[in-house]
Amino acid sequence: MRTIVARFRDDKQHHKELGEQNGAAKAPFYPVLYPAIQTACKFGVAVASRV
């Protein structure tokens, strides 16, 4: 299970880096979407850790 989670984490980190390199911060609604997605992810992690 740890290897699956680590692989998923690494894939998401790579995806984030690609977005930053390609100007994701300039996308429409980025200032609104990024914090909303970040909060949703933190909420999901918190819920999953209680299960």
Side-chain angles (χ1 to χ4, degrees), residues 12-45:
K12 293 300 148 193
Q13 182 63 34
H14 177 68
H15 182 77
K16 179 183 175 191
E17 291 169 358
L18 283 176
E20 290 171 350
Q21 291 171 2
N22 291 303
K26 296 176 186 173
F29 303 108
Y30 178 84
V32 175
L33 288 175
Y34 184 79
I37 293 169
Q38 190 175 32
T39 301
C41 290
K42 288 180 182 181
F43 177 75
V45 169

Side-chain angles (χ1 to χ4, degrees), residues 5 8 17:
V5 172
F8 183 76
E17 291 169 358

